[in-house]
Amino acid sequence: MPYMTRETCKADLARTVSVLPNLRYVDLPEGFFSDDSSSSTLRQELQHRCPEIRSMKYHAGAESSFTLLAHSRLWQNLEILELTGLEIEPDTLLYVLASLPTLQEVKLGEIPSLDDTIFRPNTSLPPFPPLSALLLEGTPNVTASGLIAYLSRLETRELLIRLSLSTTGLLLQDLHEVLSCAPHLSELVVNETVSRSFPLKPVPPLASRSLRTLHYEILSSSHSPNPPSDTYYTYIASSLLSGALPYLRELYAFSPLLPELLLVPPNAPFTGSNKSSRFSNTSSIYSNSSQLGPMLGAASFSGLFSSLTIYTKSPETLETEWSVTTLEPPSERNGRRGSASAARPISLVNSDRSGSPNSGSGRSKDSILVGNGFGGFLAVPNEDGGGRGKPGLLHGRKASQGSEWMG
């Protein structure tokens, strides 16, 4: 529904919903969600005439309407609930959520009273309900401890498939503990701003066999030549290289160098003794993240079991389009084998389609990797036997010189 129609024709909208008793989803004016008096007629019609509503929002100012849900048995088939900026007590929240038996997705944002106790067992209060999707935003008092307590319940652990954490109290070095408690999680969103580097102590990698989509969007609180966020991307790279996320298909990150962390190690095979200046920033990330050396060292690349698409943006140009890199796992059916010491793949960028966030071209950058069937990735040379190859070679075509493909 057009914005101006929604905001200026509230009376017409109220008359329309009054004759739609089976209505499930409706685009409502902003004032409706905060109990604005201009939307009172529309609210009354929707509450009395449309019992099948499936999705609803409550923003700051709508505390009384939200509390009403616990006693009125209104909208008993609600599946999606968004709460933002409400001044409510935790027990009120739990009683309302417990009164909605079909709830599947809950978003909690900017609720000052929300902390870990909401997820912990309490014999005097109903438990936080099992959900398929939980979204937390602006909840600095919710930590890994509370989430682990929530996921310790069997019915919750088996149901949750989507988790979003934006500006919470979760320490990123504890994220692996939360992930290990969610065996069916398929989508994870983490959006944080950090001021300190990743801890020096050894931290287990992020590990999940169910995760398919990961938004790992970490920013530094200040601009510096070596921002602390780089060490967090080194950590996620180590998790991928260790094979701990074998079925991940999409990865979103605010670091244009993340693909290079996966593609070009400090001593990458096929690159020769002269390092390209293009990878100087990548080497800096490695050198500034020596605490992660054991995870990024000489261990063989166990690889992915499916292709991985990495979407990246530069922290300075978040308004631009995503730059895209595609990684293909090694194939045992590939007849040609490169060096078994190739712990990380070599990236080849098609210059005709390059469109980095800073280029302004509006097109994405695609990199495609060819498996060698021996646990590594093929180097694709150019006609003189070194460097980058022609774009056609990226699709698995044989070179005229077989020796060129052996590295």
Side-chain angles (χ1 to χ4, degrees):
M1 183 183 299
Y3 172 79
M4 291 304 298
T5 301
R6 184 179 69 230
E7 298 296 328
T8 61
C9 301
K10 297 176 183 177
D12 293 333
L13 186 56
R15 285 190 291 269
T16 301
V17 300
S18 68
V19 295
L20 298 173
N22 297 319
L23 185 66
R24 295 189 176 189
Y25 302 95
V26 58
D27 196 5
L28 297 166
E30 289 299 319
F32 182 94
F33 305 121
S34 57
D35 279 4
D36 187 88
S37 58
S38 64
S39 299
S40 59
T41 302
L42 175 59
R43 174 172 292 279
Q44 291 176 6
E45 292 293 340
L46 200 67
Q47 289 177 344
H48 292 92
R49 307 279 186 170
C50 304
E52 299 297 323
I53 290 297
R54 296 293 196 268
S55 177
M56 186 52 59
K57 303 177 184 179
Y58 292 89
H59 294 174
E63 287 81 3
S64 59
S65 293
F66 175 72
T67 305
L68 184 65
L69 288 176
H71 311 289
S72 64
R73 298 188 61 81
L74 177 67
W75 295 326
Q76 286 292 284
N77 293 319
L78 270 181
E79 297 175 353
I80 302 173
L81 184 63
E82 178 181 321
L83 311 177
T84 304
L86 294 181
E87 296 285 346
I88 54 175
E89 294 300 321
D91 56 346
T92 301
L93 173 61
L94 290 175
Y95 278 118
V96 171
L97 296 182
S99 70
L100 302 172
T102 62
L103 207 56
Q104 298 181 15
E105 176 180 323
V106 171
K107 178 180 179 181
L108 303 174
E110 308 296 337
I111 300 179
S113 61
L114 193 63
D115 59 18
D116 288 341
T117 59
I118 201 78
F119 299 112
R120 295 193 177 115
N122 188 328
T123 55
S124 62
L125 294 172
F128 198 92
L131 302 167
S132 61
L134 175 61
L135 296 79
L136 301 177
E137 181 178 323
T139 54
N141 297 320
V142 175
T143 68
S145 176
L147 292 171
I148 292 172
Y150 176 62
L151 293 169
S152 65
R153 295 157 45 197
L154 178 62
E155 67 275 17
T156 298
R157 185 168 62 247
E158 294 295 316
L159 187 59
L160 189 67
I161 60 174
R162 182 185 175 206
L163 178 63
S164 178
L165 306 170
S166 298
T167 319
T168 67
L170 174 75
L171 299 178
L172 292 176
Q173 59 266 30
D174 297 331
L175 183 60
H176 68 95
E177 298 182 24
V178 176
L179 191 57
S180 66
C181 296
H184 302 292
L185 196 69
S186 63
E187 181 178 350
L188 175 62
V189 178
V190 181
N191 194 312
E192 296 289 344
T193 299
V194 297
S195 58
R196 297 180 180 179
S197 297
F198 202 84
L200 293 173
K201 64 179 182 180
V203 176
L206 290 181
S208 173
R209 297 182 65 84
S210 63
L211 199 64
R212 299 295 184 269
T213 302
L214 173 60
H215 290 252
Y216 195 77
E217 299 167 357
I218 312 301
L219 295 172
S220 296
S221 58
S222 61
H223 297 284
S224 65
N226 297 311
S229 59
D230 284 351
T231 60
Y232 292 82
Y233 290 113
T234 307
Y235 170 69
I236 193 63
S238 73
S239 298
L240 288 165
L241 293 174
S242 70
L245 300 167
Y247 298 109
L248 191 67
R249 294 176 182 173
E250 293 182 326
L251 174 60
Y252 294 78
F254 292 154
S255 171
L257 298 179
L258 178 58
E260 296 177 2
L261 281 174
L262 295 170
L263 308 180
V264 183
N267 297 309
F270 310 124
T271 57
S273 58
N274 295 325
K275 293 183 179 180
S276 169
S277 60
R278 175 173 172 264
F279 302 118
S280 59
N281 290 334
T282 305
S283 299
S284 174
I285 292 179
Y286 277 110
S287 62
N288 291 330
S289 306
S290 58
Q291 66 270 26
L292 297 172
M295 290 185 286
L296 289 169
S300 62
F301 179 71
S302 59
L304 303 167
F305 289 86
S306 59
S307 62
L308 173 63
T309 303
I310 305 177
Y311 301 88
T312 59
K313 286 185 179 183
S314 171
E316 291 77 21
T317 54
L318 296 180
E319 70 282 356
T320 62
E321 295 295 326
W322 294 95
S323 179
V324 184
T325 302
T326 301
L327 282 71
E328 296 290 344
S331 174
E332 295 181 356
R333 291 177 291 182
N334 193 316
R336 297 184 180 274
R337 298 180 178 181
S339 171
S341 64
R344 299 165 183 86
I346 306 300
S347 174
L348 287 146
V349 179
N350 185 336
S351 60
D352 292 333
R353 299 183 61 192
S354 63
S356 65
N358 296 323
S359 66
S361 64
R363 292 179 292 182
S364 60
K365 177 180 71 176
D366 292 340
S367 301
I368 300 178
L369 310 172
V370 183
N372 66 3
F374 199 56
F377 289 77
L378 291 173
V380 184
N382 56 23
E383 294 180 350
D384 59 5
R388 299 179 182 176
K390 291 183 177 180
L393 296 177
L394 296 177
H395 301 284
R397 300 176 185 173
K398 296 181 179 180
S400 59
Q401 298 291 333
S403 60
E404 289 182 343
W405 287 84
M406 299 302 293

